[in-house]
Amino acid sequence: MRKNIFFGVMASFLCVPIFVLAATDGTYNITVDNIGFAGGEASGDGTYQLMDTVGEPIVGVGTSEDYKSQDGFWYMVNSTISLTLDSNTKDLGTVTAGTPKTANTTATVVTDSAGGYDLLISENHAMTHVGDGTTTISDYAGTIATPTAWTGTGLGFTITSGTGVEAKWGTSPNNNYAGMPTTDTIFHEKTGYTSGDDDTVVEYKVDVPGAQKSGVYTNTVTYTAISKL
């Protein structure tokens, strides 16, 4: 992204640049470096005090066809986020062709972000036969963009409960399912602030064709949570 910088005529009080460096004292954080051109005077209202700098002369929103930039006084937002799962492994048990099996994962997010968060999911590969390393159970045909009512075979997932669950996932007992993507993909967007734990329950479902090779199949599913400003 290119930001155009414009220089105007300024009064002769310009002096040695003022440096504001990223730093922390264990309680407060300055997360972004900045170099001002002048200033260094304190403004206050009796309760709060702000040290002025001169060096952000362009104020407002600059836009192009593809990007938008907020120019002017720098603001910093520092949020925290954590993600925990109820278990690191899930056993779907013995699967008989034509009789789907299910299991659930509860993903718990805690964040102070006012904008909420995104949940992403991916798998390292389709469920693979432990013995031969090549035979797989295909991913379910539905997609995250367009999940579908369960029909056929494969490994799929849906959201059975959570905050602001998207309508495309349906509701129990008529949930819609998607196959696992192999790249991190957003499957749930939580908007707005939530105090404390925020749980999203994901249900896995698997079924196989009658000719599926017997044995143990496995893969790894990864969840990621990203805060939104």
Side-chain angles (χ1 to χ4, degrees):
M1 180 177 69
R2 182 178 70 183
K3 180 192 287 187
N4 294 325
I5 301 175
F6 300 90
F7 291 93
V9 177
M10 302 186 71
S12 60
F13 61 80
L14 293 179
C15 58
V16 177
I18 296 173
F19 293 79
V20 180
L21 303 178
T24 180
D25 66 358
T27 303
Y28 300 100
N29 292 300
I30 298 173
T31 58
V32 179
D33 298 332
N34 188 26
I35 301 177
F37 290 101
E41 297 182 359
S43 299
D45 64 358
T47 303
Y48 301 100
Q49 191 173 73
L50 176 69
M51 184 66 72
D52 302 328
T53 65
V54 179
E56 308 293 344
I58 308 301
V59 178
V61 178
T63 61
S64 70
E65 183 178 350
D66 300 311
Y67 300 100
K68 179 182 291 186
S69 174
Q70 178 69 57
D71 303 317
F73 188 81
W74 287 27
Y75 67 93
M76 293 174 286
V77 179
N78 188 22
S79 63
T80 61
I81 189 168
S82 67
L83 169 64
T84 57
L85 305 179
D86 62 335
S87 174
N88 290 329
T89 60
K90 293 293 175 178
D91 186 354
L92 290 163
T94 301
V95 180
T96 301
T99 306
K101 296 293 292 290
T102 62
N104 294 327
T105 285
T106 300
T108 302
V109 175
V110 179
T111 181
D112 57 6
S113 175
Y117 63 88
D118 292 334
L119 269 180
L120 297 81
I121 194 170
S122 65
E123 66 176 2
N124 59 337
H125 51 65
M127 296 193 77
T128 302
H129 194 281
V130 172
D132 64 26
T134 57
T135 305
T136 61
I137 296 174
S138 300
D139 292 310
Y140 183 66
T143 65
I144 290 177
T146 311
T148 63
W150 185 267
T151 180
T153 60
L155 172 67
F157 77 97
T158 187
I159 301 176
T160 57
S161 68
T163 304
V165 176
E166 294 82 352
K168 66 182 179 181
W169 295 109
T171 56
S172 182
N174 300 309
N175 289 102
N176 296 321
Y177 293 81
M180 294 282 182
T182 53
T183 58
D184 291 335
T185 304
I186 296 172
F187 71 96
H188 176 50
E189 299 181 55
K190 163 65 175 62
T191 59
Y193 171 74
T194 298
S195 175
D197 294 354
D198 193 59
D199 293 339
T200 301
V201 179
V202 176
E203 179 185 274
Y204 314 106
K205 180 176 282 191
V206 64
D207 196 3
V208 295
Q212 185 73 40
K213 183 178 180 178
S214 63
V216 176
Y217 292 76
T218 186
N219 73 348
T220 299
V221 175
T222 300
Y223 290 86
T224 305
I226 301 177
S227 62
K228 301 194 292 187
L229 302 181

